[in-house]
Amino acid sequence: MEMRNKEEVLGELLEEVKSLLGELCQSGFDTVHDSTLKGTEKMADLTRQYGMAHLSDMLGELAEGICLRRHRLKKDQDMLAGVYARLNEYLYLCEEKLAYDRAENYYVNGYGCQERESGGKDAVQP
């Protein structure tokens, strides 16, 4: 079984959250499909398990707001658009940090260096 590094796992998790937000954008906050709402709740739980409490809290706030909005007859102004915007900004910043971490691993820690993979430049060649 191949081990994946934390950057790969985090990148996939962020992509899943972005996909959910894309579904919300397409459907609108008033007509969210049940599967999208359940997916948002599941993603809030999953991100909490990964130690991303802030992201989990924002997803939970979004899911709760959507659920409440679905049962209103009168369209009142709420803060869902603000939560959605903060989520998008947070994801953008996470992706930027992830890109910097990948670059650091590649260039500074030498994970992309073929010399290190083959034993280094000082390794004895047969």
Side-chain angles (χ1 to χ4, degrees):
M1 180 174 175
E2 184 179 327
M3 294 290 292
R4 298 180 325 179
N5 63 22
K6 66 181 179 180
E7 287 86 9
E8 290 173 351
V9 173
L10 183 58
E12 290 175 9
L13 184 68
L14 294 175
E15 284 299 318
E16 287 182 37
V17 174
K18 282 174 52 177
S19 175
L20 274 173
L21 292 181
E23 289 177 26
L24 284 173
C25 185
Q26 288 177 350
S27 68
F29 295 133
D30 294 325
T31 58
V32 176
H33 196 273
D34 289 339
S35 64
T36 304
L37 182 58
K38 290 212 183 290
T40 305
E41 293 167 346
K42 276 183 164 181
M43 193 56 64
D45 290 339
L46 183 62
T47 53
R48 185 163 308 281
Q49 291 174 10
Y50 275 96
M52 302 178 77
H54 186 65
L55 179 57
S56 177
D57 290 343
M58 286 191 292
L59 286 168
E61 185 180 352
L62 185 66
E64 182 180 332
I66 290 169
C67 190
L68 290 174
R69 190 183 254 202
R70 293 171 82 187
H71 300 290
R72 281 192 209 148
L73 295 176
K74 185 179 177 186
K75 302 295 181 199
D76 291 330
Q77 203 171 25
D78 55 18
M79 303 303 288
L80 279 182
V83 173
Y84 184 84
R86 285 195 326 265
L87 265 166
N88 276 307
E89 184 177 5
Y90 184 85
L91 291 175
Y92 171 78
L93 293 173
C94 284
E95 287 177 333
E96 289 294 306
K97 171 74 168 94
L98 189 58
Y100 288 128
D101 288 349
R102 284 179 176 156
E104 179 183 25
N105 282 336
Y106 187 84
Y107 292 110
V108 177
N109 297 331
Y111 293 130
C113 181
Q114 289 185 355
E115 287 181 352
R116 287 194 185 216
E117 291 172 6
S118 64
K121 63 181 177 183
D122 298 327
V124 178
Q125 299 295 325

